[in-house]
């Protein structure tokens, strides 16, 4: 459930008409709903109640806006406490140590050696897990699958016991357990279950060889509804499956949800520039583009399009942005609300992997972000103009004349 709903024939974010935000802040603009973020955070947390010790770490990459993080931190999510990533540089590892991060998820053995040496030099012993690649097919888009044997993430599960033993012997590391994340936008929990069953066997093997294992990081990945007809797993489906699979693990379970918390808590508000006749269908040209919302161009992703003041009439159209690339197309031959030049519209489910993946391609401004809270709203990220970006560029003296 989200708080972007029609009231008296026009779309609101909570109690604020989207048209007001468009008027006052301009378009394109991302709009987040605080109540929706809080609701998703609560529903996810409640679905995992009863699992014993649980640590929730919001996947900051999904939406790193500071106001969003503040909402989630208040809801009990420990953003940024777990450091994952296949390319953490030694300098970043050192920074993480200096910042006192709670846990490092190691992606391979050499990284563990470097982290141990850095920690030892600081007189620290740092908590770490080994990220395992369980070799399961997440059944999602290939570009967001991470748990197949040949993906770049984690270590092959059959090599994990020996590697874990070597890492556990290092003086700067306190190996706490294992981590896995097999992909994003999963449409059911079966692939997660297959992965967790393997993780369970690994934990038992590690314990049998004398290792203490007290944490298992189960990653993120739950899919959300992009199309009205999408059938997606509920957090309670995850909770029930995890309770069943992990009942004998006796560890602290960690989760890194991203999309399920933020996805439907944000929309991209845009204005129709023109409705241009086309050969098969008209082109609805909007003022948002692939640089503002990259997912359709990158993954062929679907984002539901709705008029802010729907007339009740419909049309079939292509929807595209103004950038000079055919990839700057949000939809082809889509049945949508009838819109005219100057109308406002939204792309839904844009709260995760939306603004954070924006760029300034085509010398476009960096898209701003707004958060709504009841009947008030605030700009939580400014529009950064092309001029400001150009001001950070330099023409060297030897090119000046
Ligand atoms: N944990 C790790 C280690 C991850 O790599 C990710 C996401 C998550 C947790 C959060 O996954 P979620 O709950 O959001 O599925 N840009 C793509 C999605 C990339 C996901 C990257 N990893 C998209 O727009 O679909």
């Amino acid at each position: 459930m989200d708080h972007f709903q029609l009231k008296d024939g026009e779309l609101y974010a909570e109690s604020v008409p989207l048209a007001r935000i468009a008027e006052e802040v301009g378009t394109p603009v991302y709009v987040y709903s605080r109540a929706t973020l809080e609701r998703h955070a609560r529903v996810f947390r409640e679905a995992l109640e009863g699992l014993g010790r649980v640590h929730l770490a919001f996947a900051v990459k999904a939406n790193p806006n500071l106001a969003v993080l503040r909402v989630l931190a208040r809801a009990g999510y420990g953003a940024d406490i777990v450091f994952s990533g296949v390319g953490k540089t030694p300098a970043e590892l050192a920074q993480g140590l200096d910042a006192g991060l709670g846990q490092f998820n190691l992606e391979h053995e050499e990284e563990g050696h470097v982290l141990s040496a850095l920690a030892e030099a600081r007189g620290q012993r740092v908590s770490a897990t080994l990220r395992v690649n369980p070799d399961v097919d997440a059944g999602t888009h290939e570009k967001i699958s991470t748990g197949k044997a040949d993906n770049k993430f984690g270590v092959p599960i059959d090599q994990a016991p020996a590697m874990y033993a070597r890492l556990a012997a290092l003086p700067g590391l306190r190996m706490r357990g294992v981590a896995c994340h097999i992909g994003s936008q999963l449409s059911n929990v079966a692939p997660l279950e297959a992965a967790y069953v393997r993780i369970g066997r690994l934990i038992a093997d590690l314990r049998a060889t004398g290792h203490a294992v007290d944490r298992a990081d189960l990653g993120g990945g739950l899919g959300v509804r992009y199309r009205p007809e999408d059938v997606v797993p509920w957090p309670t489906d995850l909770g029930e499956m995890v309770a069943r699979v992990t009942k004998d693990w006796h560890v602290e379970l960690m989760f890194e949800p991203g999309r399920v918390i933020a996805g439907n808590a944000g929309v991209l508000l845009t204005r129709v520039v023109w409705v241009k006749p086309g050969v098969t269908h008209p082109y609805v040209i909007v003022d948002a583009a692939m640089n503002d919302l990259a997912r359709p161009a990158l993954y062929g992703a679907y984002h539901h399009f709705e008029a802010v003041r729907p007339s009740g009439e419909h049309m079939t159209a292509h929807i595209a942005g103004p950038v000079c690339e055919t990839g700057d197309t949000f939809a082809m031959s889509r049945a949508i609300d009838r819109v005219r030049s100057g109308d406002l519209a939204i792309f839904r489910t844009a709260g995760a992997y939306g603004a954070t993946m924006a760029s300034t391609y085509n010398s476009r401004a960096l898209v701003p972000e707004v958060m709504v809270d009841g009947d008030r709203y605030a700009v939580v990220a400014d529009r950064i103009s092309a001029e400001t970006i150009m001001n950070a560029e330099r023409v060297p003296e030897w090119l000046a004349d």
Side-chain angles (χ1 to χ4, degrees):
M1 210 225 104
D2 63 66
H3 293 267
F4 298 97
Q5 304 291 342
L6 285 171
K7 282 181 207 168
D8 303 327
E10 70 172 310
L11 271 173
Y12 276 64
E14 303 190 16
S15 302
V16 178
L18 286 172
R20 187 177 139 209
I21 295 173
E23 202 55 49
E24 294 172 7
V25 183
T27 54
V29 55
Y30 278 92
V31 182
Y32 308 130
S33 151
R34 175 182 181 174
T36 310
L37 281 169
E38 286 174 341
R39 180 187 153 81
H40 292 174
R42 179 169 45 80
V43 167
F44 191 83
R45 179 157 27 75
E46 286 173 0
L48 304 181
E49 264 167 16
L51 287 178
R53 281 178 299 147
V54 168
H55 179 92
L56 299 174
F58 176 62
V60 174
K61 68 181 69 164
N63 191 325
N65 181 277
L66 290 178
V68 170
L69 298 186
R70 179 64 65 91
V71 168
L72 295 175
R74 285 181 171 208
Y77 283 65
D80 255 347
I81 295 191
V82 178
F83 191 10
S84 304
V86 72
K88 307 180 209 75
T89 65
E92 287 166 346
L93 292 171
Q95 257 180 308
L97 287 170
D98 294 337
L101 294 194
Q103 176 175 305
F104 291 75
N105 290 348
L106 301 173
E107 294 266 356
H108 66 116
E109 191 168 347
E110 190 185 357
E111 184 188 20
H113 286 270
V114 170
L115 179 63
S116 173
L118 288 166
E120 220 192 337
R122 288 165 170 73
Q124 294 180 18
R125 207 161 158 231
V126 66
S127 286
T129 69
L130 184 59
R131 178 166 178 183
V132 171
N133 185 324
D135 192 20
V136 298
D137 186 349
T140 183
H141 192 282
E142 61 171 292
K143 290 201 179 151
I144 52 176
S145 267
T146 49
K148 281 294 287 171
D150 214 21
N151 290 147
K152 67 180 176 178
F153 301 97
V155 303
I157 194 155
D158 51 327
Q159 296 173 22
M163 208 178 284
Y164 194 95
R166 292 193 293 273
L167 290 167
L170 296 177
L173 298 187
R174 183 163 167 229
M175 291 304 290
R176 307 293 299 261
V178 290
C180 86
H181 171 78
I182 61 166
S184 198
Q185 184 55 15
L186 306 194
S187 54
N188 67 74
V189 298
L192 289 172
E193 176 161 359
Y196 298 165
V197 166
R198 289 178 195 187
I199 296 287
R201 278 193 220 118
L202 174 61
I203 291 174
D205 283 356
L206 291 171
R207 286 189 172 140
T209 49
H211 297 289
V213 176
D214 65 354
R215 288 184 186 170
D217 183 338
L218 299 181
L222 273 200
V224 301
R225 195 181 284 153
Y226 282 90
R227 292 175 164 83
E229 67 271 22
D230 278 349
V231 177
V232 293
W234 287 98
T236 45
D237 298 329
L238 178 72
E240 280 157 24
M241 180 275 280
V242 171
R244 184 160 37 77
V245 173
T246 68
K247 66 178 185 312
D248 300 322
W249 289 16
H250 309 297
V251 294
E252 176 175 16
L253 294 173
M254 311 177 79
F255 295 87
E256 304 175 345
R259 194 186 314 260
V260 70
I261 305 292
N264 276 310
V267 301
L268 175 60
L269 178 58
T270 185
R271 195 177 286 281
V272 176
V273 187
W274 304 112
V275 179
K276 176 187 160 176
V279 173
T280 52
H281 300 294
Y283 267 96
V284 171
I285 311 284
V286 294
D287 67 359
M290 63 191 289
N291 69 296
D292 304 306
L293 177 62
R295 304 191 68 258
L298 265 181
Y299 318 117
Y302 178 103
H303 284 266
H304 200 60
F305 181 86
E306 274 171 53
V308 165
R309 290 187 175 120
S311 63
E313 295 168 277
H314 295 93
M315 68 197 284
T316 300
H318 311 312
I319 309 168
V323 166
C324 46
E325 286 204 36
T326 302
D328 186 25
T329 300
F330 293 105
M332 293 297 284
S333 308
R334 173 105 53 102
I336 57 171
D337 293 327
R338 178 169 298 286
V339 286
R340 294 180 180 76
S341 308
D343 284 356
L344 290 169
I346 58 166
F347 289 105
R348 282 193 180 263
T349 324
Y353 310 108
T356 184
M357 289 171 66
S359 75
T360 59
Y361 179 48
N362 252 38
S363 298
R364 287 168 55 85
L366 197 61
V367 59
E369 297 161 81
V370 157
M371 184 178 288
V372 172
D373 175 26
D375 59 5
R376 62 183 171 178
Y377 79 86
V379 175
V380 295
D382 292 344
R383 190 184 308 279
I384 300 180
S385 70
E387 190 187 18
T388 303
I389 288 159
M390 254 180 269
N391 284 341
E393 296 174 1
R394 303 279 170 262
V395 177
E397 209 178 286
W398 38 267
L399 278 179
D401 51 356

